[in-house]
Amino acid sequence: MAAHRSGPLKQQNKAHKGGRHHGGGSAQRDSKGRVGPKILCKKLKKQLSRVDQRHRASQLRKQKREAVLAEKRQLGSKDGPPHQVLVVPLHNRICLPEAFKLLQNEDLGTVYLNERGSTHSFMLLSPSLKHRWSFTYARPGDLHTLLDMAKVADTILFLLDPLEGWDSTGDYCLSCLFAQGLPTYMLAVQGLPSLPPKRQTDARKKLNKTVEKRFPEDKLLLLDTQQESGMLLRQLANQKQRHLAFRDRRAYLFAHDADFMPSEESDLVGTLKISGYIRGRTLNVNSLLHIVGHGDFQMNQIDAPVDPFPLNPRVVKSQKKPSMSMEVCVTDAAADMEEGLKVLMKADPDQQETLQTEVIPDPMEGEQTWPTEEELDEANDSLKQRSRVVKKVPKGTSNYQAEWILDEGDESDGEGDESDDDIQHEGFMEEESQDGSGEEEEEECETMTLGESVRDDLYDEKVDEEDEERMLEKYKQERLEEMFPDEMDTPRDVAARIRFQKYRGLKSFRTSPWDPKENLPRDYARIFQFQNFVNTRKRIFKEIEEKETEGAEVGWYVTLHVSNVPVSVVESFRQGAPLIAFSLLPYEQKMSVLNMVVSRSPGNTEPVKAKEELIFHCGFRRFRASPLFSQHTAADKHKFQRFLTADAALVVTVFAPITFPPASVLLFKQRRNGMHSLIATGHLFSVDPDRMVIKRVVLSGHPFKIFTKTAVVRYMFFSRDDVLWFKPVELRTKWGRRGHIKEPLGTHGHMKCSFDGKLKSQDTVLMNLYKRVFPKWTYDPYVPEPVLWVKSDISSTVSEVDME
């Protein structure tokens, strides 16, 4: 019997394909050892099992835990710097001497007082806790001192009032500290047991509600007895540290002592010896040193004297009584200091950073060669050909008379003559109305005698009339800018083509090209610019993390010899001001253009105009400058803002020394009474001189006669030549129409314009003109000390703003 054979029409089913969801084993079997070219050029990812993944995660957690514990153990230990604690009372009822007396707990260790000028600080050494603290304080009213000391403090101890927590001055202080960046902090309440027992519970609940607004997850500690102060000190020693980005990559030092040696040439300049503990990073003698509030300087050498505050003082046995031993502190042992003085490093002139901050421009660098005689003759011939104009004039007409004779094309149309008559008639009517209004104002302004109380006289004595008039004018300008952004009246006394000769029209502000190297000012020849700022920043930060630096290690007590320092630095230190020094990264002494993103402080409503002098706290620097304001967008061109607005974040552009972000930014404004008010906070955005800030000017005109798609527009220009000059620029209206100028009408600035639709009679014709603006070179590293903030001053300023 023959077997069955399938015919040609038998159904053939497709073989099953796993697709992309097949397992790894089947993929390896299918590939048969072949590897794709993309996989070969990339680093193979090692596939870990679940057990290995858990093991790796546990190892990472263990490493982070050990790093945190090592940081805790080093801070305040015998090998690390003392634990720097800044005590800040947030209320005027807090008794600071009583708090310091409690913190000077002799049961835990030895206390060393250091009275220098008006600043009282002390060092607490506790061998039982294996920790040492350095306590300083700053009043909230002394704003610059508070902010400077908070930059180098390891922990800030806030002292609160049991009833109110903090007053208006303390709240203002907290706003500034939060904007700058808050290190590790702790909250302590002083005076709660002094309240009646029935009120203590209510006061604690009320205080917790008040504290939750600023510190939602923090606990309050008591500071009224020696036992409570001991618990607070143990809490300080075991607290996890918070990091500030701008100081983690730099070495910094809080001066415990300073000495000045004048130079041979002058007594006003000399070598400053600063003694203190190195913090942050290793300090190299060849790097530059920035003294906060005074500028950048070079170091000659670094000495390593004996630590004046050792955790375990050495024991010297007495010769008379060998059984007894006494502890000798080396704080005042000048002989031991001289004996143990060692020179760590001396500056190498070949490797030392220079103090050059600006580029010295060559005035002949951009000059062209002098033209030859042939080129001058060609230019004169072309100028003569252009100036020759053929006109039909009567016989006997002189050249001067011919200049006044117009061609047929220069004659104005009938509509232009009618419009000129209308303008003259309207101008005459306006003059009459102005004269009449002046008479009415003179008639309305009458002198009247009103009864005034003694309280009104006292209030008027405190009011500065010039300041009131100036503020009123600024409020009016800010209000007009909000209602009519960038609009400007065309001047009558100067031709528009001369007044706006630096401006240009753009088809599209977003897409039209603009060369960032075009028409740069002379100040741009003095600054430095990076080819790629982001890559340079990454490279420097990578070198800091990986490269080992030679110099003074963290925790060493050293003496820095700083050269060419003015005597005013040590005078301010002796008067009680803190002396704080930061090491500079490469290029940070050079000038460039800094861009900072800031937002308006909600507690300040005073109008701030662009190019006004402001006080900057940028990272570890403090300086004065006159900035520009611009919109914060992702485009290549950014519109200039005339005022610091409160509804959106703006970019502040200023000439200043290079600073690598991240860095916090605080903007202050000095008032006439010497007080500094916080107006904006933010962060450093970039260092980029090519960031273009474009100023816009909007000229407005009124449609006089409206046809189907054309209209006669007046009051935008007042000269025929101005209309011809701005003829290529596109027009727009407030209701969305677009058009262009066809021709001028008459000689008084009327022009015929065509649009993409019919205009409304209440519409306004606008012309946008643009110009690039640059900041002013007003950088000044010296900032005057402000008047102390007190509660009455703050309340009076708030009431003045409310009344205005």
Side-chain angles (χ1 to χ4, degrees):
M1 186 176 178
H4 175 71
R5 296 181 180 178
S6 59
L9 301 178
K10 183 182 181 297
Q11 179 178 351
Q12 297 289 338
N13 295 329
K14 292 183 178 180
H16 175 70
K17 293 182 180 179
R20 61 175 184 169
H21 299 290
H22 59 275
S26 60
Q28 291 179 1
R29 287 193 299 271
D30 295 340
S31 62
K32 295 181 180 179
R34 293 188 299 269
V35 181
K38 291 185 178 180
I39 300 176
L40 283 174
C41 63
K42 293 183 180 180
K43 187 177 180 180
L44 293 175
K45 292 184 179 180
K46 190 176 180 181
Q47 299 291 335
L48 299 179
S49 62
R50 285 191 176 182
V51 178
D52 294 337
Q53 289 177 3
R54 291 175 183 173
H55 183 59
R56 185 177 63 176
S58 65
Q59 285 181 334
L60 293 176
R61 285 196 302 269
K62 186 178 180 181
Q63 291 175 2
K64 291 181 180 179
R65 192 182 301 112
E66 289 177 353
V68 172
L69 290 175
E71 184 181 7
K72 283 183 182 180
R73 294 187 185 115
Q74 185 185 19
L75 183 63
S77 64
K78 63 176 182 178
D79 298 328
H83 194 147
Q84 189 77 28
V85 181
L86 175 63
V87 182
V88 180
L90 295 179
H91 203 282
N92 57 0
R93 287 200 296 261
I94 293 173
C95 183
L96 191 61
E98 184 179 350
F100 264 39
K101 187 177 180 180
L102 291 171
L103 291 173
Q104 295 169 4
N105 195 338
E106 296 183 355
D107 297 337
L108 292 177
T110 312
V111 178
Y112 299 102
L113 298 178
N114 179 22
E115 296 189 3
R116 173 177 44 82
S118 60
T119 302
H120 299 276
S121 61
F122 67 92
M123 188 78 70
L124 177 61
L125 309 180
S126 176
S128 61
L129 295 179
K130 299 181 180 179
H131 208 83
R132 52 181 176 171
W133 294 271
S134 175
F135 285 90
T136 56
Y137 83 97
R139 289 284 181 185
D142 194 357
L143 192 60
H144 288 332
T145 301
L146 173 65
L147 293 177
D148 291 343
M149 296 184 72
K151 293 172 184 176
V152 296
D154 297 316
T155 303
I156 299 180
L157 178 60
F158 292 112
L159 300 182
L160 307 180
D161 182 69
L163 296 178
E164 298 180 4
W166 50 74
D167 54 9
S168 56
T169 310
D171 186 65
Y172 177 77
C173 152
L174 288 175
S175 300
C176 297
L177 288 174
F178 272 97
Q180 178 178 268
L182 204 60
T184 308
Y185 60 90
M186 188 170 290
L187 307 175
V189 184
Q190 185 184 13
L192 189 62
S194 61
L195 299 176
K198 294 182 180 180
R199 293 187 59 189
Q200 289 184 12
T201 305
D202 296 338
R204 188 186 290 270
K205 290 181 180 179
K206 185 180 178 181
L207 185 60
N208 286 329
K209 288 183 180 179
T210 305
V211 170
E212 281 180 357
K213 298 177 182 178
R214 291 272 190 186
F215 309 97
E217 297 180 356
D218 295 294
K219 295 181 180 180
L220 297 176
L221 299 177
L222 299 179
L223 184 60
D224 292 292
T225 62
Q226 288 287 343
Q227 184 179 2
E228 292 172 351
S229 68
M231 292 177 60
L232 189 142
L233 290 173
R234 289 183 175 87
Q235 187 78 10
L236 286 173
N238 298 322
Q239 198 174 20
K240 182 181 177 181
Q241 294 297 309
R242 299 175 64 181
H243 295 274
L244 295 180
F246 69 87
R247 75 182 187 186
D248 284 345
R249 295 183 177 91
R250 299 172 178 87
Y252 58 96
L253 178 142
F254 179 77
H256 288 268
D257 192 13
D259 189 17
F260 183 77
M261 296 178 59
S263 61
E264 298 178 356
E265 293 81 8
S266 174
D267 294 339
L268 300 178
V269 179
T271 301
L272 180 66
K273 296 181 180 180
I274 307 174
S275 299
Y277 293 92
I278 300 295
R279 302 171 186 270
R281 293 280 176 178
T282 303
L283 178 61
N284 193 324
V285 70
N286 294 319
S287 61
L288 296 181
L289 199 70
H290 175 78
I291 300 178
V292 177
H294 299 283
D296 304 334
F297 304 95
Q298 287 180 332
M299 291 180 286
N300 291 333
Q301 70 180 35
I302 300 178
D303 299 339
V306 177
D307 191 347
F309 306 107
L311 188 59
N312 299 315
R314 69 186 182 199
V315 177
V316 178
K317 292 187 178 181
S318 169
Q319 296 179 359
K320 296 181 180 179
K321 297 181 180 180
S323 59
M324 297 179 60
S325 62
M326 63 178 179
E327 294 182 356
V328 178
C329 180
V330 293
T331 307
D332 299 325
D336 293 346
M337 292 281 285
E338 293 295 333
E339 291 177 2
L341 188 64
K342 297 179 181 178
V343 178
L344 284 180
M345 291 184 69
K346 286 192 176 182
D348 185 1
D350 297 333
Q351 298 181 359
Q352 195 172 25
E353 291 280 347
T354 64
L355 285 173
Q356 182 185 3
T357 60
E358 305 174 14
V359 179
I360 301 175
D362 185 5
M364 301 299 295
E365 187 177 358
E367 294 292 330
Q368 297 179 351
T369 57
W370 188 259
T372 60
E373 294 183 359
E374 297 178 357
E375 293 175 346
L376 291 174
D377 294 339
E378 292 179 0
N380 291 331
D381 294 340
S382 61
L383 186 63
K384 291 178 182 179
Q385 291 177 1
R386 290 181 183 176
S387 61
R388 292 174 183 173
V389 178
V390 180
K391 292 185 179 180
K392 292 182 180 180
V393 297
K395 291 183 178 180
T397 305
S398 63
N399 293 334
Y400 175 76
Q401 292 173 337
E403 293 291 336
W404 290 90
I405 298 176
L406 302 177
D407 291 340
E408 296 180 357
D410 295 337
E411 295 179 358
S412 59
D413 299 336
E415 294 180 357
D417 296 336
E418 293 176 3
S419 61
D420 296 340
D421 296 337
D422 294 337
I423 291 175
Q424 294 176 0
H425 179 68
E426 289 177 6
F428 178 73
M429 293 297 292
E430 288 177 0
E431 291 177 0
E432 287 185 350
S433 62
Q434 289 177 359
D435 296 338
S437 62
E439 294 176 359
E440 291 176 0
E441 290 176 359
E442 291 178 0
E443 292 177 359
E444 291 177 358
C445 297
E446 297 178 356
T447 58
M448 299 179 65
T449 304
L450 300 176
E452 296 181 355
S453 63
V454 179
R455 186 176 180 182
D456 293 338
D457 293 338
L458 295 176
Y459 182 80
D460 291 339
E461 290 178 359
K462 298 180 181 179
V463 176
D464 189 355
E465 295 184 0
E466 295 182 0
D467 193 25
E468 290 285 322
E469 291 293 333
R470 184 178 57 85
M471 290 296 298
L472 179 61
E473 185 64 27
K474 290 180 68 175
Y475 274 115
K476 287 182 179 179
Q477 293 179 6
E478 187 180 30
R479 181 63 176 167
L480 286 174
E481 182 66 22
E482 291 178 359
M483 296 174 62
F484 308 102
D486 302 327
E487 288 196 26
M488 180 181 292
D489 295 332
T490 307
R492 302 288 297 272
D493 54 345
V494 182
R497 62 185 182 277
I498 297 176
R499 170 63 181 83
F500 304 109
Q501 60 184 348
K502 294 183 180 180
Y503 290 80
R504 69 182 73 176
L506 294 178
K507 179 71 176 176
S508 172
F509 181 77
R510 185 179 62 86
T511 60
S512 296
W514 197 309
D515 187 8
K517 304 296 184 183
E518 176 186 353
N519 293 333
L520 297 178
R522 268 207 179 275
D523 290 338
Y524 267 55
R526 302 164 58 185
I527 64 174
F528 291 84
Q529 183 178 5
F530 294 97
Q531 188 172 5
N532 192 325
F533 176 73
V534 177
N535 290 349
T536 304
R537 173 176 169 270
K538 289 181 179 179
R539 177 179 59 81
I540 291 175
F541 286 179
K542 187 177 180 181
E543 290 178 356
I544 293 173
E545 298 293 337
E546 298 178 355
K547 190 177 179 181
E548 294 184 1
T549 306
E550 295 182 359
E553 298 290 340
V554 177
W556 290 4
Y557 185 83
V558 299
T559 299
L560 309 180
H561 294 249
V562 188
S563 58
N564 297 327
V565 179
V567 69
S568 58
V569 178
V570 71
E571 288 178 354
S572 63
F573 175 74
R574 289 168 182 169
Q575 292 174 2
L579 184 57
I580 298 168
F582 278 85
S583 67
L584 297 182
L585 300 180
Y587 316 114
E588 282 196 331
Q589 78 276 18
K590 303 182 185 300
M591 295 290 291
S592 188
V593 178
L594 270 62
N595 302 304
M596 315 168 190
V597 179
V598 299
S599 299
R600 190 68 187 265
S601 179
N604 189 287
T605 58
E606 180 183 354
V608 180
K609 202 172 183 180
K611 298 183 181 179
E612 284 188 17
E613 187 180 78
L614 300 178
I615 298 170
F616 288 76
H617 280 256
C618 180
F620 56 89
R621 291 188 184 272
R622 187 173 74 233
F623 57 88
R624 292 184 296 171
S626 301
L628 294 179
F629 304 140
S630 60
Q631 292 180 350
H632 183 35
T633 58
D636 61 339
K637 296 182 287 295
H638 312 273
K639 195 172 82 67
F640 170 76
Q641 295 289 328
R642 289 173 171 81
F643 289 90
L644 184 62
T645 58
D647 54 349
L650 297 180
V651 175
V652 174
T653 303
V654 68
F655 284 116
I658 295 170
T659 304
F660 291 101
S664 59
V665 174
L666 282 77
L667 269 64
F668 294 89
K669 185 177 180 182
Q670 184 172 1
R671 301 188 178 183
R672 285 176 172 253
N673 56 5
M675 289 170 31
H676 293 176
S677 58
L678 180 66
I679 60 172
T681 59
H683 63 276
L684 180 60
F685 180 59
S686 65
V687 180
D688 185 14
D690 286 342
R691 187 180 186 275
M692 293 185 292
V693 180
I694 308 298
K695 182 179 181 180
R696 183 182 72 172
V697 168
V698 180
L699 304 181
S700 59
H702 179 68
F704 177 46
K705 296 179 180 179
I706 299 175
F707 302 99
T708 305
K709 285 191 176 181
T710 58
V712 178
V713 180
R714 59 180 179 179
Y715 302 150
M716 181 177 288
F717 303 108
F718 301 97
S719 171
R720 180 185 181 90
D721 295 334
D722 291 342
V723 177
L724 294 173
W725 181 269
F726 290 100
K727 185 177 179 181
V729 183
E730 187 182 21
L731 301 175
R732 67 178 182 88
T733 69
K734 288 189 175 182
W735 287 28
R737 297 297 181 189
R738 291 187 175 272
H740 62 276
I741 302 173
K742 292 186 68 176
E743 57 180 350
L745 301 176
T747 59
H748 288 69
H750 288 214
M751 54 188 182
K752 185 184 292 184
C753 306
S754 63
F755 297 91
D756 56 357
K758 189 173 182 179
L759 296 185
K760 301 289 184 180
S761 59
Q762 63 269 29
D763 204 350
T764 305
V765 182
L766 305 175
M767 175 183 288
N768 294 338
L769 300 176
Y770 301 94
K771 178 187 73 169
R772 184 178 179 184
V773 291
F774 303 91
K776 292 182 178 180
W777 192 289
T778 57
Y779 172 77
D780 187 3
Y782 174 72
V783 178
E785 292 297 328
V787 176
L788 296 183
W789 278 84
V790 293
K791 186 176 180 181
S792 59
D793 294 337
I794 296 177
S795 60
S796 64
T797 54
V798 173
S799 62
E800 287 175 8
V801 171
D802 294 339
M803 291 178 66
E804 290 173 356

